[in-house]
């Protein structure tokens, strides 16, 4: 069993390229076992707490199924199901849950919250998403890319849209760690934080990665292996920002023309949920207000053979399983 240098999984900056590769390898092994019907209940009798201050379909299901496959019992705490940060401090919550559970997942707001949980819990803490980072998603993305292209080294990944938050940050960190070619394609005001960029540039100098920040979608996507995007407005942001984002980010919508510009090798990825049609409440509201039938990606691209978003979504389960198994193995 892979053993990491730390029992927590908070951000990819904390891990070496070899450890990240090890987690992806372990996830691939678990995936093969699951497909073959081979049990791997390595942690029978363990209990894990899943704290969700921000709801999610994929993250919740991935943690619950992965935990059950490993023999663990997951307990889900929804936004109204705990007093974390309201009637009870983060430190006190961590010390209570750490005495009842063998591991704690947190999905919510500031990175400082999950870091504080880890400091006080005494058991492994896993980041299911914060405003700044989404490390379990990146492992799933990289497993999916490796399945498609055979390796990660040298893969050109272009992130289109708002690259200032967890997905842009985490993809940039992950690509820097794994020697990939990362491009943030957005208006300059939507590029990642310069301090984080500097850290990633230093990592890239050691791994051979390339980091670029380009405003022109045609120039950015040429020769890309992966065109990646996410929703333009994140959970917790006010509805008032929709108009600004639509006006500024519409040129960065992933279309068939951009996919073709990248080349026939290019695939489309998205962490989901995606606004590509009018079959959601939000999608219909945006159409009624702004008259557009898609946002960050067109229906044509989303439903095309070049879209691997559902392979990516499935791999959340396998990579999260690897994270939990590897961190619980750390003494």
């Amino acid at each position: 069993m892979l053993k990491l240098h730390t029992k927590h999984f908070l951000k990819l900056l904390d891990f070496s390229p070899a450890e990240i590769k090890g987690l992806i390898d372990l996830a691939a092994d678990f995936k093969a076992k699951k497909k073959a019907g081979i049990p791997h209940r390595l942690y029978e009798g363990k209990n894990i707490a899943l704290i969700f201050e921000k709801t999610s379909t994929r993250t919740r299901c991935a943690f619950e199924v992965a935990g059950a496959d490993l023999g663990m019992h997951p307990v889900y705490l929804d936004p109204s199901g705990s007093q974390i940060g309201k009637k009870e401090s983060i430190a006190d919550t961590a010390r209570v849950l750490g005495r009842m559970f063998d591991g704690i997942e947190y999905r919510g707001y500031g990175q400082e919250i999950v870091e504080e949980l880890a400091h006080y819990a005494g058991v492994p803490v896993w980041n299911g998403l914060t405003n700044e980072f989404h490390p379990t998603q990146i492992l799933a993305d990289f497993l999916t890319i490796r399945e498609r292209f055979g390796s990660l080294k040298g893969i050109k990944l272009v992130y289109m849209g708002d690259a200032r938050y967890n997905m842009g940050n985490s993809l940039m960190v992950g690509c820097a760690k794994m020697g990939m070619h990362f491009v943030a394609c957005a208006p300059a005001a939507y590029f990642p934080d310069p301090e984080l960029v500097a850290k990633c540039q230093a990592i890239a100098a050691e791994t051979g990665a390339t980091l670029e920040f380009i405003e022109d979608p045609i120039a950015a996507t040429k020769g890309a292996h992966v065109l990646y995007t996410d929703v333009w407005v994140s959970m917790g942001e006010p509805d008032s920002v929709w108009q600004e984002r639509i006006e500024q980010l519409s040129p960065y919508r992933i279309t068939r023309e951009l996919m073709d510009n990248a080349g026939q090798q290019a695939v489309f990825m998205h962490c989901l949920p995606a606004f590509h049609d009018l079959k959601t409440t939000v999608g219909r509201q945006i159409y009624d207000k702004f008259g557009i039938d898609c946002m960050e990606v067109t229906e044509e691209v989303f439903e095309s053979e070049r879209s691997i978003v559902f392979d990516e979504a499935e791999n959340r389960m396998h990579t999260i399983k690897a994270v939990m198994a590897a961190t619980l193995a750390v003494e």
Side-chain angles (χ1 to χ4, degrees), residues 72-144:
M72 301 188 290
H73 173 63
V75 174
Y76 175 71
L77 300 172
D78 67 15
S80 63
S82 98
Q83 299 297 337
I84 184 169
K86 297 187 283 288
K87 293 182 179 179
E88 189 165 43
S89 70
I90 307 301
D92 290 356
T93 299
R95 286 178 286 188
V96 169
L97 296 182
R99 292 181 178 225
M100 297 182 182
F101 293 94
D102 300 288
I104 300 168
E105 178 271 353
Y106 173 81
R107 177 183 172 93
Y109 296 95
Q111 180 71 15
E112 70 278 1
I113 298 174
V114 76
E115 299 276 354
E116 189 172 1
L117 281 170
H119 180 75
Y120 287 101
V123 298
V125 171
W126 310 300
N127 181 357
L129 174 142
T130 62
N131 293 340
E132 293 85 358
F133 296 109
H134 197 359
T136 60
Q137 178 67 54
I138 306 315
L139 291 181
D141 297 339
F142 285 3
L143 174 59
T144 309

Side-chain angles (χ1 to χ4, degrees), residues 152-219:
L152 294 175
K153 194 77 171 178
I155 291 293
K156 180 178 179 179
L157 184 150
V158 181
Y159 183 81
M160 306 285 296
D162 192 344
R164 299 172 296 176
Y165 299 119
N166 45 40
M167 284 309 304
N169 289 345
S170 295
L171 284 166
M172 178 173 65
V173 171
C175 288
K177 289 277 186 177
M178 303 311 291
M180 298 166 67
H181 182 176
F182 173 81
V183 181
C185 182
Y190 289 82
F191 287 159
D193 176 71
E195 184 176 343
L196 182 60
V197 170
K199 289 181 182 179
C200 290
Q201 293 283 22
I203 294 167
E206 298 179 356
T207 64
T210 300
L211 307 181
E212 293 187 295
F213 306 91
I214 301 174
E215 293 187 62
D216 178 11
I218 296 297

Side-chain angles (χ1 to χ4, degrees), residues 271-293:
C271 53
L272 303 181
F275 293 122
H276 58 95
D277 57 25
L278 302 181
K279 297 176 183 177
T280 64
T281 301
V282 173
R284 174 55 66 177
Q285 289 172 347
I286 294 300
Y287 174 77
D288 291 341
K289 189 169 184 179
F290 300 103
I292 57 174
D293 60 6

Side-chain angles (χ1 to χ4, degrees), residues 2 4 15-25 177-178 207:
L2 172 69
L4 303 171
F15 297 92
S16 69
E19 287 177 316
I20 294 170
K21 180 182 181 297
L23 286 168
I24 297 170
D25 290 341
K177 289 277 186 177
M178 303 311 291
T207 64

